[in-house]
Amino acid sequence: MFWRLGFAQSSPIETLLDSDEFTLQQLMDEDDLVQECRQLNNKLLDYLSLPEQVEAMVNYIVEEPASEATDKLKFVYPYKSSEVLSSDVGSIHDCLLGHDDLLDKLFAVLKADEGKLNFMLAGFFSKVITAMMNYRPEDTLSALNSRGALELLLRHINTYSILEVLLKVVQEAEEAGSGGPSE
């Protein structure tokens, strides 16, 4: 009833989206970005599902920021990007799986030399790949396969996040081979 009287405030995200000029970084600066994604804010998701926005978020989770970068660039933007990319939003996963260049960027994190993989970036990568495997397992396994990612994953098996991805790959491969989830 309170909102019917016109006392409800629109979210800062809505205010930004209603303006004609805003950036991904401005959205990332908002505390409720991840919550708005989870609440399936269509206007926000339409914007975040654009290939250039997905690419920017992938860059945040796979590129190590410079040592002199701000804490937002080092921690906040990569974290929020991983949350958005791993959220249960089909249009974002469709965008990732529909653009080979985005998948190539995502898997580039695995090309680090053995023992040189950034643990934080590996965690973000793991989170996104696991979400993609939950959403479209066959397509994600195909993307992994076509990029020779199994060898790259094995190179970093000593990193817990990568081990989790390998276990998910094995689980999905077994389910695909048996025709469905095992009981």
Side-chain angles (χ1 to χ4, degrees):
M1 170 142 173
F2 189 68
W3 52 92
R4 288 185 192 159
L5 299 174
F7 293 115
Q9 295 179 339
S10 66
S11 75
I13 297 276
E14 281 298 325
T15 304
L16 268 175
L17 293 172
D18 287 340
S19 73
D20 287 336
E21 295 181 25
F22 61 91
T23 65
L24 178 63
Q25 288 75 20
Q26 288 173 309
L27 288 171
M28 291 279 183
D29 289 337
E30 295 299 330
D31 292 333
D32 57 348
L33 174 70
V34 175
Q35 186 62 31
E36 291 277 338
C37 285
R38 289 183 180 145
Q39 291 176 349
L40 303 176
N41 178 324
N42 288 330
K43 199 171 189 181
L44 175 62
L45 295 178
D46 288 345
Y47 177 78
L48 293 176
S49 297
L50 295 171
E52 57 270 15
Q53 304 313 323
V54 173
E55 180 178 13
M57 289 185 286
V58 168
N59 287 337
Y60 283 130
I61 67 169
V62 300
E63 293 176 0
E64 233 174 301
S67 58
E68 66 274 358
T70 65
D71 282 350
K72 281 184 181 180
L73 286 172
K74 287 182 182 178
F75 305 111
V76 176
Y77 294 172
Y79 170 75
K80 286 186 177 180
S81 293
S82 75
E83 288 293 315
V84 170
L85 292 171
S86 65
S87 62
D88 197 18
V89 178
S91 57
I92 291 175
H93 296 294
D94 292 341
C95 182
L96 267 170
L97 289 164
H99 292 84
D100 283 336
D101 56 324
L102 293 177
L103 288 171
D104 292 340
K105 272 189 184 211
L106 184 60
F107 288 109
V109 74
L110 297 175
K111 294 187 178 173
D113 292 334
E114 188 172 342
K116 303 286 185 189
L117 184 61
N118 178 306
F119 292 121
M120 186 173 69
L121 298 180
F124 295 146
F125 169 82
S126 171
K127 184 175 206 160
V128 172
I129 291 298
T130 301
M132 289 169 56
M133 292 191 62
N134 289 335
Y135 178 68
R136 286 184 33 197
E138 299 86 13
D139 294 335
T140 307
L141 286 173
S142 175
L144 283 161
N145 226 4
S146 67
R147 285 162 182 76
L150 186 57
E151 182 181 322
L152 296 172
L153 289 168
L154 289 171
R155 179 190 307 170
H156 301 292
I157 197 166
N158 60 343
T159 305
Y160 183 74
S161 299
I162 301 303
L163 179 59
E164 285 181 320
V165 172
L166 276 167
L167 291 172
K168 184 71 173 170
V169 167
V170 169
Q171 176 189 5
E172 292 298 332
E174 285 178 351
E175 288 178 7
S178 68
S182 57
E183 294 180 23

